Amino acid sequence: MNQRYRKTVIAGNWKMNKTPAEARALIEELKASVSRVKWCEIVLCVPFVDIPAALKATKGFRASIGAQNMHYEKSGAYTGEISAQMLAELGVKYVIIGHSERRQYFAETDVTVNKKIHAALDAGLRPIVCVGESLQQREQGVTLEFIRQQVKIALGGVEPSAVKRIIIAYEPIWAIGTGKTATADQAEEVCGWIRDCIRELYGARIARAVTIQYGGSMNAGNAAELLSKLDVDGGLIGGASLKAPDFAAIINAANQ
Ligand code: 13P
């Protein structure tokens, strides 16, 4: 973290978990477990149907609500899809874009990710853009070039004035839901590299203001070490965000 230049953001990605009633209960428990939120921003990325309940339950608590996906068109014949405008009107502030599960199971590509980023920014949402290599890519030594390509295509056509509203989440696919976390040094290497890529595209002043998260088996036990790295500005947390004490411990680690 480097809180002089950029905000630390701890975001929970609930994935396809929790009904509206369960969402309410989890948020109540979380409110009771978080001591004080001073330095970091908390975001809860909940299933679409949980959004109204989550917004209501977080009133008076310093947490924003995010969605986990959206369509890039404003409206039209896209059965089953949700637009950025629909989310913004509800009061949603963030949206995860290009999570590896969306890329793997729902055929999202760097090009659709780019379109979604533009649509989210146009609607006033802050995109949390996920990038990350597979185990095979890591073992073949192409991690950095692969990440560079993902970042460059994702940011294609984004105005310099809008880049600071984007959060990039580095999520190595081999660390997601596996209990296998990247070491703090591995996370720092790639998060620093992402910042280098942004610097190359937009210059140093913008690059140092962008929040870059780590995600992949982040938990109460490893959060402090990961967040101690200068280029790791927060976390995108799956499993551990579903348990209030664990998520609270991560938030508290970011508040040191
Ligand atoms: P886990 O924290 O369960 O590994 O999930 C990470 C993730 O995919 C967050 O988006």
Side-chain angles (χ1 to χ4, degrees):
M1 300 183 285
N2 187 342
Q3 288 163 331
R4 194 168 148 211
Y5 293 120
R6 48 196 177 256
K7 194 118 192 147
T8 301
V9 181
I10 301 294
N13 174 9
W14 290 7
K15 308 192 179 182
M16 196 174 73
N17 293 292
K18 306 289 175 191
T19 65
E22 290 168 347
R24 219 171 292 127
L26 176 56
I27 291 170
E28 289 310 328
E29 203 189 337
L30 189 63
K31 286 202 285 200
S33 331
V34 173
S35 38
R36 65 195 162 88
V37 187
K38 224 167 145 190
W39 301 109
C40 78
E41 170 118 12
I42 304 172
V43 183
L44 305 176
C45 298
V46 305
F48 288 133
V49 295
D50 292 350
I51 289 170
L55 283 164
K56 204 164 161 212
T58 48
K59 278 225 166 78
F61 179 52
R62 276 197 33 200
S64 302
I65 299 304
Q68 301 171 10
N69 179 37
M70 47 163 267
H71 198 275
Y72 50 78
E73 293 292 350
K74 285 196 171 74
S75 62
Y78 302 99
T79 303
E81 291 293 319
I82 304 272
S83 74
Q85 285 74 14
M86 292 171 183
L87 295 172
E89 192 179 310
L90 279 184
V92 167
K93 295 275 185 295
Y94 292 81
V95 59
I96 297 175
I97 291 179
H99 191 281
S100 62
E101 288 151 16
R102 302 278 332 157
R103 296 180 193 250
Q104 184 182 348
Y105 305 125
F106 302 98
E108 295 202 11
T109 64
D110 289 336
V111 173
T112 58
V113 166
N114 174 255
K115 287 185 183 182
K116 289 183 179 197
I117 292 172
H118 282 279
L121 291 169
D122 288 349
L125 299 176
R126 291 194 66 182
I128 300 176
V129 181
C130 301
V131 297
E133 82 287 3
S134 65
L135 185 59
Q136 191 186 21
Q137 286 165 328
R138 176 155 286 267
E139 285 174 352
Q140 289 180 337
V142 298
T143 296
L144 297 184
E145 58 192 274
F146 179 72
I147 298 282
R148 182 164 186 266
Q149 175 171 323
Q150 283 190 317
V151 170
K152 279 188 94 163
I153 299 175
L155 296 179
V158 174
E159 294 295 325
S161 59
V163 180
K164 281 192 277 188
R165 291 178 38 225
I166 297 176
I167 293 174
I168 310 260
Y170 167 53
E171 297 208 312
I173 296 169
W174 48 271
I176 295 176
T178 57
K180 206 173 158 205
T181 320
T183 64
D185 287 338
Q186 285 172 327
E188 173 68 1
E189 182 194 22
V190 181
C191 290
W193 172 252
I194 291 169
R195 201 175 306 288
D196 288 346
C197 296
I198 300 171
R199 187 178 300 119
E200 185 193 323
L201 294 167
Y202 295 99
R205 207 167 46 85
I206 290 177
R208 76 177 179 212
V210 174
T211 294
I212 301 174
Q213 298 172 320
Y214 168 78
S217 300
M218 197 188 236
N219 59 39
N222 59 30
E225 196 190 347
L226 287 159
L227 294 169
S228 73
K229 295 294 177 181
L230 268 187
D231 285 306
V232 180
D233 307 313
L236 184 56
I237 297 113
S241 74
L242 298 171
K243 294 180 214 113
D246 293 20
F247 195 54
I250 297 172
I251 293 166
N252 291 334
N255 263 317
Q256 300 310 307

